[in-house]
Amino acid sequence: MHCALYTAGTCRSCQWLEKPYPQQLADKQHHLHSLLAGRDVAQWLQPMAGELSAFRNKAKMVVSGSVERPLLGMLHRDGTPVDLSDCPLYPAGFAPMFAVLKSFIARAGLTPYNVARKRGELKYLLLTESTLDGGVMLRFVLRSETKLAQLRAALPWLQQQLPQLKVISANIQPVHMAIMEGEREIALTEQQALEEQFNQVPLFIRPQSFFQTNPQVAADLYATARDWVRALGIDSMWDLFCGVGGFGLHCAQPQTRLTGIEISAEAIACARQSAQRLGLLHVDFQALDSTRFATAEGQVPQLVLVNPPRRGIGQALCDYLSRMAPDYILYSSCNAESMAKDIETLPGYRIERVQLFDMFPHTAHYEVLTLLVRRL
């Protein structure tokens, strides 16, 4: 992948860009092998990869510059802005949207937030595109509601210019810290969820729900989890840290008793909408803390699927799983190092299979799916 920003030295987020891609994959696989070197792995599967450019369905753009000439991209540590409108990680349709959004910022008088001066209103623009129909969700992250009336007044022009905008909202983030978004979300369109579809499974994305940024590899990850789980012949499972329900909804069959747990009420609303669309009758999605739910629950399913944040599932949940001993644990991780530490505290399980999913080409990051089977 050629990147003019990287060549110019203005953006080095893709720190492995100069490394040949086969070497990138080999290095990631080697890293994963080293983390699990102390454990027997029955089956190592080949890494799963996708496109090397234009694969991101999401853009998180810091807004800087002036209201007349806004920049969309990032800030270096010294405060120097970099415009990433032409970043080759984004689909071709993003650059024209960025151009229109810059005009809209000026038209609506949305003053970019100046970090050094702690002045201005517009902090971020967050875009997510659906691969289902090209629909887009747009979020304005504002310091306050001061410019909200101006934003609403100018919105019809933006919607006319970009008819693909399906969901638009304003997030209020008043804190002067590097925090992407605040708790309050104000809907600016009647539609409040963007529809996506992976492997014929409908999924919904609301403004404050997490969703993978590489849809092609994410679809492969969900399909792989589905195939592994269905081969086990289980009829009950938990999906902990379930997000919008992608894993559980892929793995569940009509007779499967599925409980999905996620702290985000927005994500749970999405998961319930998908389950209703699929006609699944034995599904229960709840907005709870995954560890607290699990350790308070009496009955244990045959399989527990976990997809935690980078910190992993933690000691308390590992201890609980060791005591209650479900037949299978399917661990999806965005941080193999924390996953490896968690697996070390699950001595009652053997590793049946492991597969790496390269969700983040040109970086050291990757996702990994691991099936653990209880020792008899």
Side-chain angles (χ1 to χ4, degrees):
M1 181 183 77
H2 172 72
C3 177
L5 295 163
Y6 184 93
T7 302
T10 53
C11 177
R12 290 300 173 98
S13 298
C14 295
Q15 70 268 35
W16 281 11
L17 190 58
E18 296 181 73
K19 184 183 294 190
Y21 188 65
Q23 188 61 50
Q24 292 184 32
L25 274 185
D27 288 351
K28 293 182 184 187
Q29 187 79 336
H30 176 75
H31 179 254
L32 182 56
H33 271 269
S34 68
L35 292 174
L36 299 178
R39 300 292 296 265
D40 290 330
V41 177
Q43 186 179 19
W44 283 96
L45 298 175
Q46 288 298 310
M48 189 78 74
E51 298 295 329
L52 302 185
S53 64
F55 58 80
R56 285 186 66 94
N57 70 332
K58 185 185 297 182
K60 300 178 179 181
M61 310 297 269
V62 176
V63 183
S64 59
S66 65
V67 68
E68 297 84 8
R69 298 187 64 183
L71 300 175
L72 306 180
M74 68 177 189
L75 296 177
H76 285 301
R77 291 182 183 230
D78 64 359
T80 305
V82 178
D83 194 290
L84 300 179
S85 298
D86 294 324
C87 173
L89 297 183
Y90 299 130
F94 272 40
M97 279 196 289
F98 291 143
V100 172
L101 286 166
K102 288 178 181 180
S103 297
F104 176 77
I105 290 169
R107 177 181 287 263
L110 301 178
T111 313
Y113 184 70
N114 186 295
V115 176
R117 298 178 181 178
K118 300 183 182 180
R119 296 174 59 184
E121 287 298 321
L122 182 57
K123 292 186 169 184
Y124 300 94
L125 290 181
L126 309 178
L127 276 79
T128 303
E129 182 181 64
S130 168
T131 61
L132 176 64
D133 59 6
V136 173
M137 177 167 64
L138 169 64
R139 301 172 67 200
F140 296 89
V141 180
L142 304 172
R143 183 172 67 103
S144 72
E145 295 184 43
T146 302
K147 298 287 187 179
L148 197 55
Q150 292 175 218
L151 173 57
R152 289 184 187 273
L155 211 52
W157 177 86
L158 180 63
Q159 291 172 298
Q160 184 178 36
Q161 300 299 311
L162 298 175
Q164 65 266 47
L165 293 177
K166 306 294 185 183
V167 179
I168 307 175
S169 67
N171 180 274
I172 308 302
Q173 204 289 77
V175 182
H176 180 71
M177 294 177 65
I179 299 174
M180 183 69 70
E181 59 189 68
E183 294 182 3
R184 190 174 179 211
E185 197 84 22
I186 301 169
L188 300 177
T189 52
E190 183 177 352
Q191 184 174 333
Q192 297 181 39
L194 187 67
E195 185 170 357
E196 181 60 276
Q197 187 177 100
F198 291 167
N199 310 306
Q200 287 75 56
V201 174
L203 299 170
F204 296 90
I205 313 167
R206 288 177 179 252
Q208 291 186 306
S209 58
F210 170 78
F211 202 80
Q212 297 283 8
T213 60
N214 187 327
Q216 178 189 1
V217 179
D220 291 337
L221 174 63
Y222 289 143
T224 300
R226 175 200 62 201
D227 295 343
W228 290 8
V229 170
R230 292 190 178 179
L232 301 175
I234 58 106
D235 58 22
S236 62
M237 67 176 287
W238 289 350
D239 183 3
L240 303 184
F241 312 94
C242 70
V244 299
F247 279 108
L249 293 165
H250 272 78
C251 296
Q253 299 186 77
Q255 74 277 10
T256 305
R257 297 190 306 277
L258 165 66
T259 299
I261 303 296
E262 167 63 48
I263 195 69
S264 167
E266 285 277 274
I268 288 299
C270 294
R272 288 171 176 168
Q273 189 173 357
S274 295
Q276 184 178 25
R277 176 76 66 84
L278 289 167
L280 295 173
L281 302 178
H282 307 294
V283 171
D284 182 21
F285 285 104
Q286 301 180 44
L288 299 169
D289 177 83
S290 291
T291 301
R292 289 183 182 177
F293 162 80
T295 54
E297 184 69 16
Q299 289 188 321
V300 180
Q302 292 170 283
L303 180 142
V304 175
L305 190 153
V306 295
N307 181 32
R310 291 190 61 79
R311 65 177 181 273
I313 64 175
Q315 189 67 50
L317 186 49
C318 285
D319 290 344
Y320 170 80
L321 292 173
S322 291
R323 289 195 309 272
M324 303 307 287
D327 294 335
Y328 308 99
I329 300 172
L330 185 57
Y331 197 133
S332 175
S333 174
C334 60
N335 182 1
E337 294 184 5
S338 61
M339 182 198 73
K341 291 179 182 177
D342 287 337
I343 291 176
E344 282 298 313
T345 62
L346 294 167
Y349 288 83
R350 60 180 177 82
I351 301 176
E352 177 62 25
R353 64 178 67 98
V354 177
Q355 188 164 21
L356 184 155
F357 293 80
D358 193 15
M359 203 83 71
F360 314 102
H362 318 304
T363 76
H365 301 293
Y366 57 87
E367 300 260 342
V368 58
L369 191 65
T370 303
L371 177 63
L372 305 173
V373 180
R374 181 166 57 87
R375 299 181 190 275
L376 299 177

